[in-house]
Amino acid sequence: MKYLWAYSIPVVGVLGIYFGGYWSFSALLFAFVVIPFLELLLPIDEKNYDEEVVSERLTNKLFDVLLYLNVPIVYGALLFCLYKITQTNLSLSEIMGITISLGIILGANGINVAHELGHRTTLFEKILGKTLLIPSHYTHFFIEHNHGHHLHVSTPEDPSTAAYNQNLYAFWFQTVTGTYKKAWEIQKKLNTINNVSFFSLKNDMFWFTIIQISYLIIIYIIFGVKGFLLASCAGIVGFLLLETINYIEHYGLKRNRLASGRFERVTEKHSWNSNHVLGRIILYELTRHSDHHYKSQKKYQILEYHDVSPQMPYGYPTSMVLSFFPPLWFKVMNKRVPLEMK
């Protein structure tokens, strides 16, 4: 039941938007002030589960239901914010607060959960994952992440891997443009392999494009210009938060090229790990990212800690705050990047 804390960001965000005024920034303050502060106080948990507990966790469907519930939560928050911004006279600061708070919800409970569901094998879960990507304009993530990022992570071929001494803002440009371009390249290869036409139902990128455009058109028709701008800008905040997480997850880590010209296989050493308990819970164990890349089909509730993985000095939420200030980020992290990976 500890994973109910994953709903804390949308709860705090929606309550703040409901009360209005400067409370509209509640999700921002909670995610990037309160949580980092609590992470400094709370313990680090390096324990792994034994085989019996792992088996119990895999058979307990509640872990899956907790993910599924994010669909009505994310879309409920979106509709509430659209109603609020179009039916109420709001100040510019309130509009900014609503946009940022909604964007954080779309990132934390939308894209993050979509990432977990995108690795599942059932059609139902994959559809839920794609549905959660729509409000952040990032449906192409489904293709690029599974067929590109996991294959090329920690190599120059991966736009979602930040190079040593690359700042967050340069990385944003690299990854936002690079992952979209790569998604189309991957889709074209899949079309060729499967002998699928551009307009086929199996051409995901074509339909993702139609869906994303339709999503914004429908919002414009129902909620007007204000609603359209809110949905557009909140979605941008959402995917920039995702890419900030990508930045800290693989910063400065490189896979070595072998004599054959190929890169060494992905191991537990090619992602930054964090065992800070609050970040682990709120992000559905995303912070045990080293194990996720090592065995990508593992469900979040059984991800493990490996002592060979590079360890972040702070939790993911705190590390995201640091990354917003490149000189501070470099000072903290550069000395921790393994020499053989720089």
Side-chain angles (χ1 to χ4, degrees):
M1 299 306 290
K2 66 183 180 182
Y3 292 107
L4 289 174
W5 274 99
Y7 303 143
S8 60
I9 289 179
V11 168
V12 169
V14 169
L15 283 176
I17 293 167
Y18 173 79
F19 287 113
Y22 290 112
W23 287 106
S24 301
F25 290 90
S26 292
L28 176 66
L29 295 174
F30 180 69
F32 295 117
V33 177
V34 176
I35 293 177
F37 176 73
L38 290 176
E39 282 194 318
L40 294 175
L41 303 177
L42 294 172
I44 293 174
D45 184 5
E46 298 179 349
K47 295 192 298 291
N48 292 325
Y49 303 111
D50 59 37
E51 291 185 7
E52 183 180 351
V53 174
V54 167
S55 178
E56 290 175 356
R57 285 181 151 240
L58 286 175
T59 56
N60 188 342
K61 294 300 181 182
L62 179 59
F63 288 105
D64 297 331
V65 173
L66 289 171
L67 295 178
Y68 306 158
L69 289 176
N70 282 281
V71 176
I73 287 173
V74 165
Y75 277 90
L78 172 65
L79 290 172
F80 173 69
C81 291
L82 287 169
Y83 176 83
K84 175 99 176 184
I85 204 168
T86 54
Q87 302 298 319
T88 312
N89 288 324
L90 301 171
S91 66
L92 179 60
S93 64
E94 284 180 299
I95 294 173
M96 290 176 60
I98 292 172
T99 303
I100 293 172
S101 289
L102 177 59
I104 292 172
I105 295 170
L106 298 183
N109 296 76
I111 301 182
N112 181 46
V113 176
H115 163 258
E116 173 70 21
L117 293 173
H119 284 287
R120 300 296 178 85
T121 56
T122 69
L123 178 62
F124 171 70
E125 290 173 310
K126 287 181 181 293
I127 290 174
L128 290 185
K130 294 174 183 179
T131 302
L132 284 170
L133 291 170
I134 295 171
S136 291
H137 327 309
Y138 237 55
T139 44
H140 62 279
F141 172 84
F142 183 87
I143 293 176
E144 198 284 326
H145 181 82
N146 290 289
H147 297 282
H149 176 60
H150 272 268
L151 180 63
H152 300 297
V153 64
S154 297
T155 74
E157 298 175 26
D158 179 33
S160 297
T161 296
Y164 183 76
N165 268 339
Q166 182 179 26
N167 70 59
L168 173 65
Y169 307 105
F171 174 75
W172 276 354
F173 180 78
Q174 167 189 296
T175 190
V176 171
T177 58
T179 53
Y180 186 74
K181 178 182 177 182
K182 197 129 189 173
W184 273 109
E185 292 173 354
I186 292 169
Q187 184 66 68
K188 288 178 182 178
K189 289 180 181 178
L190 292 174
N191 290 351
T192 300
I193 292 171
N194 298 318
N195 194 26
V196 168
S197 73
F198 183 80
F199 298 102
S200 169
L201 289 173
K202 295 183 179 180
N203 184 351
D204 281 346
M205 282 302 291
F206 172 73
W207 292 106
F208 286 165
T209 303
I210 298 298
I211 290 169
Q212 292 288 184
I213 294 172
S214 300
Y215 163 75
L216 290 174
I217 289 174
I218 290 171
I219 287 179
Y220 175 76
I221 291 172
I222 298 175
F223 297 100
V225 175
K226 285 184 178 180
F228 175 84
L229 291 175
L230 171 67
S232 300
C233 294
I236 292 171
V237 173
F239 73 66
L240 287 181
L241 286 179
L242 162 74
E243 297 301 0
T244 303
I245 290 176
N246 267 332
Y247 177 80
I248 68 172
E249 283 174 338
H250 304 288
Y251 171 76
L253 302 178
K254 291 195 306 184
R255 284 155 61 194
N256 295 319
R257 194 181 289 272
L258 304 175
S260 63
R262 306 182 72 175
F263 289 99
E264 63 180 318
R265 70 182 183 88
V266 178
T267 71
E268 312 96 310
K269 298 179 181 180
H270 296 115
S271 306
W272 290 96
N273 185 81
S274 166
N275 290 307
H276 295 75
V277 291
L278 192 56
R280 281 181 55 191
I281 294 169
I282 289 178
L283 293 174
Y284 293 103
E285 303 292 351
L286 182 69
T287 67
R288 285 193 161 179
H289 207 61
S290 303
D291 195 38
H292 169 68
H293 269 276
Y294 181 50
K295 296 181 179 178
S296 62
Q297 296 304 313
K298 264 189 173 182
K299 292 186 174 183
Y300 74 95
Q301 65 264 32
I302 61 167
L303 288 174
E304 296 179 280
Y305 161 66
H306 302 275
D307 57 10
V308 297
S309 302
Q311 302 298 311
M312 304 203 80
Y314 307 106
Y316 270 32
T318 306
S319 298
M320 291 171 72
V321 175
L322 288 179
S323 71
F324 295 143
F325 306 95
L328 185 58
W329 171 260
F330 295 147
K331 183 176 181 180
V332 171
M333 293 302 298
N334 280 6
K335 60 188 176 185
R336 289 177 166 83
V337 177
L339 288 175
E340 67 272 17
M341 292 191 181
K342 291 183 180 179

